[in-house]
Amino acid sequence: MRMILSSFVNTPLIFTGSTEFMKKMSFLLLAALVAVSCLKKDDYHIDITYTGEQLRYISCPLGGIGTGNILINGYGAIRDIEIFNRPSMAELPPDMTFFSLYTKKAEQDPVVRILEREFLDEYPNPFGKPRQQLGGIPRFREAVFHNAYPMVHLDLIDEVVPLDVTMSAWSPFIPTDTRSSSLPAAVIEWKLTNPGDEIVEYSVGFTMGNPMKALSAGERPGNDACTVMPASSGQWTGFTFSSPDAATGKPDAGNFRILFTGDSINTTLLSGSDWWDEAHLFWEDFADDGQIEVRGDTTTRRRTGKETAVMSISGTLASGETAVLPFIFAWHIPYRQLEDNMAFGNDAVRGTITRNYYTTLYEDIDRVTEHFTANMEALKEKTYRFSEAMSTSSVPPAVLDAAISNMASLKTNLLMQNEAGHLHGYEGLGNDFGCCAGNCTHVWNYAQTMAVLFPSLERNVRETGFNHSTHENGYQCFRTVFPLSDNFFMNVAADGQMGNIMRVYREWKMSGDTEWLGMMWPDVQHALEFAWKGVGELQETYPWMDNCQVPWDPNKEGVMRGDQHNTYDITFFGPNMMTGSLYLGALKACSEMALAMNAPQKSVEYGELYLKGRERYMDLLWNGEYFTQQVEVVEGVTVPDRLKSPPDASGNVLPKYQVGDGCLSDQLLGQYLAFVSGMGYLMDTFVTRQALSAVFKYNFREEMRSVENVQRIFAANGEPGLVNCSWPDGNRPVLPFVYSDEVWSGVEYQVATSLIFADLVDEGLKITEGVRSRYSGANRNPFAEIESGRYYARAMSSWGVYQAMAGYQYDATKDRMKFSPAEDVLPVRFFWSAGTGWGTLEVSRAKIQLTCLHGTLDLDELVFEGRSFFVLREFVPSHDVNVDYENVSLILAFNGTLSLEEGEAFRMELP
């Protein structure tokens, strides 16, 4: 039962009995309780819920941007602790790390459970179900996981437990507030409610095996000599786990802290001498009366073997009473050794040790927890405010699901930020390594989430890409060697470079910071004009630049013909609209940016070339339905032997891995970036719609059984998906381009975004729903879409689908905000984000309300497009504004800039 919009009812009942009839009634009651849990509090909430089989693969990251994370699984357990500067999806879960619940009514036997759902039938380990988290101890019968990321909630359901039990888990996630959202901390909060008539005694226990490791030659073989010490911060108390060399600057050494608060508090330390002694000691003790006998001191301990911290909170609940019990997890790992793949073979920087940026803001674990505990309620309130703004949006559930679930990637080891503040992003994550390093331009081109929610971080990456990785001739290395130095990744990508230019335009529009654009502009110009100027004499300094032998647009006709390396890890030879649409978008963007830079002649030059190129591409590639590729090897380009096909019947030797007559899903990738950045259409509107329709018609599959794919498999059997390319009229190459038969969710979302912006809403929604059906929890992790690794960056194109449904555009250079919802109905409610703040828009037949929930907003003009908005013509505004109508647009022009502070709103209401 998933994605349900309804009202919330909470009337738990408890049956006990031993007859077959009572067993059946108990089962029916359990099912009823699950159904109730799947309902939400308010009619306008979208509740994305998972239960039963859908809990199997859930693993939700909580932490700070660039700090690592902990993972919460669908059962409510801590699945992994990934704070040591790399992914850590181990086969076995963390040792002795779990919550427990003791309950007792007067004159009745106690009911004791691990605070998790019981396991599904997953027993793949040849040594049995892992015992690390006491898998053989009773757990709750069922659970319902509510995804309102960045807040998630878990209802645990068991008909014999006399309390209603809910877990809420979150970490600070406040759009535009990068510092707060980068705190290395997370909260797991238990809510216990007594629905019965009798008083219930309770105790919540938490145990945790020492997660720190004694480090040796970069390895973490065990926790010998690690310490466990009591900790406190204000009204909070708990434990700190420390590496023996935490203060030495050694990579991956540091501290991990757990804090909790309550009226009845127990803390102790269990030290098992052999086998699983500490598990027996804990469970026999806790299950007896919910109290923990202090078996060891709570001071520093150094020993070989295992040490487990134990803590508990006890109390009583009368009928109708509730207890809320938060637990704080925080960490401080100052130094990391960069993974070798970040150096790209440059031995001078291989294995560099650098300090994590967040530890320059908080010098030790004490500063982290002092700041967090002092500001916890405010951080929670703003995180909840954002969560609510999203979950009450007027978008289909699959659209919300895609947008918020992929936001979680920002809280993983996909990102790191060094002490200089430089942000590094992988493409994806393996189980214990980052995959495809270096802020890869042609993959991150697709991602929209960080640009909208944390625009300062996105500008940081643009600055690295242009000010460091772009040479004076405009050759832009499409990956960046970390740490920044005179070492470079020795390749250029046509799609990455042109898309990166369009993203400068996007960041400028979001920020309105023309001074920032001025800092970027010289390198942006060089990168654009590289398309027709080529490497020039700089190749003598950097001989590896010979991998781009001929300019992409050798005739300066607005068409790329040279060898165009791209995101498929191959090179397209000859005109194609994938790189072509990005080139046109870059030209159009630079034409506008040149005016802002007081360069009118350049603006005219770029604008004329854009118009020339768009007509030329139509002549060369349009087949009446979609854009094809004209395969050609221009003079001066040498096709490497590894990329040559065998001679055809006429003796011609053509390049391998081309599109040719195929229908490429990415053929209008530049149009996607133009839509989300507010640039409008790049090609004729009819042609754009026709091409997008063809992509859906030929490339979307209701199920994958008919697709023959010898490449990587991200969709299979009866699952739906959009293949990267098809050949509707035949002429499929014997060796089509690499990845052509694969299904990439990042490409699916960008196509869905463009379809919706182009008023092909049903098609865009069908693709989006198809993607999320493949991440249902029963088959894959809903929070970790995969391509080359999990949490794949390209999948953050999912934000574009949300933006398209809202029809939201913001231009800070003009202080202009526009909404053109894909579905022309009222009421509507959307989240909006600007460079300086964020909030919500609500429009009904009774009012308009634009609310600033965080930061500030300045507006000169607010535009609504759609016939439904015309019912608002008689509304009375709260601020001085001129109301005008143009075609199907309602235009509100403010007399003097509308300035909203946090908590303020602009309203228009019926008189």
Side-chain angles (χ1 to χ4, degrees), residues 179-460:
R179 177 165 179 170
S180 293
S181 303
S182 301
L183 272 164
V187 176
I188 295 176
E189 182 177 279
W190 292 101
K191 180 181 179 182
L192 310 177
T193 300
N194 182 1
D197 297 328
E198 301 178 48
I199 293 175
V200 177
E201 299 176 31
Y202 73 86
S203 183
V204 171
F206 179 65
T207 70
M208 187 171 206
N210 195 334
M212 307 305 294
K213 309 296 180 183
L215 308 175
S216 175
E219 300 295 326
R220 300 195 296 279
N223 60 9
D224 299 359
C226 294
T227 63
V228 187
M229 299 182 67
S232 63
S233 181
Q235 300 300 311
W236 299 80
T237 189
F239 282 103
T240 301
F241 301 96
S242 299
S243 303
D245 41 14
T248 64
K250 196 168 186 178
D252 300 342
N255 300 280
F256 187 92
R257 178 171 288 175
I258 313 157
L259 295 172
F260 69 116
T261 185
D263 297 331
S264 175
I265 295 176
N266 237 314
T267 61
T268 186
L269 188 69
L270 295 177
S271 297
S273 60
D274 207 352
W275 292 96
W276 30 78
D277 294 4
E278 81 286 2
H280 280 296
L281 290 172
F282 167 72
W283 192 252
E284 293 297 326
D285 192 7
F286 183 78
D288 178 52
D289 60 3
Q291 303 300 308
I292 304 299
E293 178 185 350
V294 178
R295 298 179 181 274
D297 61 42
T298 54
T299 59
T300 302
R301 296 182 62 83
R302 298 173 182 273
R303 59 181 298 280
T304 300
K306 295 175 288 186
E307 297 166 331
T308 301
V310 182
M311 52 203 76
S312 68
I313 304 175
S314 302
T316 60
L317 290 173
S319 176
E321 285 189 336
T322 294
V324 178
L325 311 174
F327 290 75
I328 295 173
F329 300 83
W331 53 95
H332 191 272
I333 313 293
Y335 292 92
R336 68 165 67 214
Q337 185 170 28
L338 299 184
E339 293 190 49
D340 285 352
N341 60 16
M342 298 170 78
F344 296 106
N346 292 282
D347 291 337
V349 294
R350 189 193 306 272
T352 296
I353 295 173
T354 187
R355 190 176 181 187
N356 284 314
Y357 181 71
Y358 74 89
T359 67
T360 68
L361 305 176
Y362 309 100
E363 61 180 340
D364 54 32
I365 189 67
D366 290 335
R367 304 291 87 74
V368 172
T369 52
E370 285 171 6
H371 178 83
F372 189 76
T373 55
N375 296 280
M376 178 177 165
E377 289 306 313
L379 294 169
K380 179 182 179 181
E381 195 277 331
K382 286 193 175 183
T383 300
Y384 176 78
R385 196 184 296 173
F386 172 56
S387 174
E388 281 288 284
M390 292 300 296
S391 64
T392 56
S393 298
S394 303
V395 297
V399 174
L400 177 68
D401 185 19
I404 65 174
S405 297
N406 283 300
M407 290 191 311
S409 297
L410 299 178
K411 294 302 190 86
T412 71
N413 285 287
L414 189 72
L415 295 172
M416 62 83 64
Q417 193 171 15
N418 68 7
E419 57 196 315
H422 299 134
L423 192 72
H424 171 273
Y426 283 101
E427 292 183 27
L429 298 178
N431 283 346
D432 58 2
F433 66 95
C435 183
C436 307
N439 292 344
C440 179
T441 55
H442 55 49
V443 168
W444 281 87
N445 264 346
Y446 295 73
Q448 301 300 318
T449 306
M450 189 165 72
V452 172
L453 301 181
F454 300 101
S456 64
L457 293 180
E458 198 70 51
R459 290 196 300 273
N460 179 300

Side-chain angles (χ1 to χ4, degrees), residues 445-446 494-495 498-499 502 528 558-560 564 575-589 610 613-614 617 621 627-628 664-675 679-683 688 691-692 750 754:
N445 264 346
Y446 295 73
D495 58 344
M498 295 299 117
M502 295 185 73
L528 178 69
V559 172
M560 287 190 170
Q564 302 148 61
N576 68 89
M577 275 304 287
M578 184 230 193
T579 57
S581 63
L582 289 162
Y583 184 32
L584 294 178
L587 286 165
K588 188 175 182 181
Y610 155 69
R614 119 179 189 151
Y617 273 118
L621 306 181
F627 292 97
T628 61
L664 181 68
S665 289
D666 266 336
Q667 64 186 265
L668 290 181
L669 178 57
Q671 180 61 71
Y672 157 75
L673 281 174
F675 277 143
M679 200 182 300
Y681 281 88
L682 298 178
M683 305 293 287
T688 299
L692 291 169
Q750 77 86 359
S754 293

Side-chain angles (χ1 to χ4, degrees), residues 586-605:
L587 286 165
K588 188 175 182 181
C590 284
S591 179
E592 184 176 342
M593 290 189 288
L595 286 178
M597 293 293 96
N598 196 28
Q601 290 182 324
K602 280 294 181 183
S603 176
V604 171
E605 179 184 3

Side-chain angles (χ1 to χ4, degrees), residues 26 142 149 155 162 178 216 225 415 431 489 619 639 659 745 872:
S26 177
E142 190 52 89
Y149 201 86
D155 297 328
T178 302
S216 175
L415 295 172
N431 283 346
F489 179 77
D619 293 341
V639 180
V659 173
S745 64
L872 311 175

